[in-house]
């Protein structure tokens, strides 16, 4: 259900979050997770969300494609939050990948399960050997990213749930 700032019950991040068209939001995310807190400044539509504690930086976006079925049906509106600190392993992440297009949408955004393999470098620091973005639908192939791709990939947000 949409909400409007003119409604008496309109409470940003208490009972509603901005609806974000991902292609239009591309410029807002120049750095990893950058721009999430400012989404409200540019939102033309808000979606009312009930029964979940909301926080600044959360938003709703439409997910197109079948790669995350059955959890996320094609065309679903999904609630996302900023990627929490710590390991991303096994998290369902909305990822921007420059120059790589999603098989379903042709766009640079994809929702997949994040998996990474790390190796120790000569100086003892850990670095990514490979990042795999896995679909839930077995009809789709994972997207495998190499270390040289790391600068062109950003974890934008974490999937929370499908909404209304």
């Amino acid at each position: 259900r949409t909400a409007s700032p003119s409604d008496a019950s309109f409470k940003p991040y208490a009972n509603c979050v901005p609806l974000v068209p991902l292609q239009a939001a591309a410029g807002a995310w120049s750095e990893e997770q950058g721009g999430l807190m400012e989404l409200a400044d540019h939102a033309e539509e808000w979606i009312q969300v009930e029964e979940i504690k909301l926080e600044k930086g959360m938003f709703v976006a439409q997910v197109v494609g079948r790669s995350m079925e059955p959890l996320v049906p094609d065309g679903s509106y999904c609630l996302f939050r900023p990627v929490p600190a710590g390991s991303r392993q096994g998290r369902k992440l909305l990822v921007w990948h420059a120059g790589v297009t999603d098989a379903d949408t042709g766009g640079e955004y994809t929702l997949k399960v994040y998996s990474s393999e790390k190796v120790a470098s000569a100086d003892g620091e850990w670095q990514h050997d490979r990042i795999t973005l896995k679909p839930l639908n077995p009809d789709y192939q994972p997207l495998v990213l190499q270390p040289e791709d790391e600068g062109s990939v950003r974890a934008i947000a974490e999937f929370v749930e499908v909404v209304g």
Side-chain angles (χ1 to χ4, degrees):
R1 193 175 111 195
T2 59
S4 169
S6 60
D7 295 341
S9 63
F10 178 78
K11 296 179 184 142
Y13 300 109
N15 67 354
C16 57
V17 294
L19 174 64
V20 176
L22 292 178
Q23 283 67 23
W29 293 318
S30 57
E31 293 183 24
E32 191 167 339
Q33 299 179 28
L36 285 180
M37 300 309 175
E38 291 79 31
L39 288 176
D41 297 340
H42 306 289
E44 294 181 19
E45 290 186 67
W46 290 74
I47 302 295
Q48 195 162 11
V49 178
E50 297 176 13
E51 300 180 16
I52 190 165
K53 185 176 190 295
L54 301 176
E55 60 190 64
K56 285 194 174 206
M58 288 180 127
F59 63 95
V60 169
Q62 187 176 30
V63 174
V64 178
R66 297 181 39 247
S67 70
M68 291 299 282
E69 288 181 346
L71 178 66
V72 181
D74 182 22
S76 296
Y77 286 86
C78 298
L79 179 64
F80 293 93
R81 67 177 175 196
V83 180
S87 173
R88 297 177 181 165
Q89 195 72 12
R91 294 183 185 270
K92 294 167 195 74
L93 299 179
L94 177 64
V95 176
W96 171 78
H97 42 94
V100 179
T101 55
D102 184 272
D104 277 341
T105 67
E108 293 184 329
Y109 291 92
T110 190
L111 174 61
K112 300 285 187 286
V113 178
Y114 182 98
S115 175
S116 72
E117 297 173 29
K118 296 181 180 183
V119 294
S121 62
D123 62 4
E125 295 291 318
W126 289 97
Q127 61 187 30
H128 290 289
D129 184 43
R130 176 172 52 189
I131 295 172
T132 304
L133 303 175
K134 300 177 183 178
L136 294 179
N137 185 336
D139 293 341
Y140 288 78
Q141 295 298 313
L143 177 60
V144 179
L145 305 168
Q146 302 303 323
E148 58 270 17
D149 299 322
E150 194 165 3
S152 62
V153 176
R154 294 188 186 108
I156 301 298
E158 182 178 26
F159 170 84
V160 177
E161 66 180 26
V162 174
V163 295

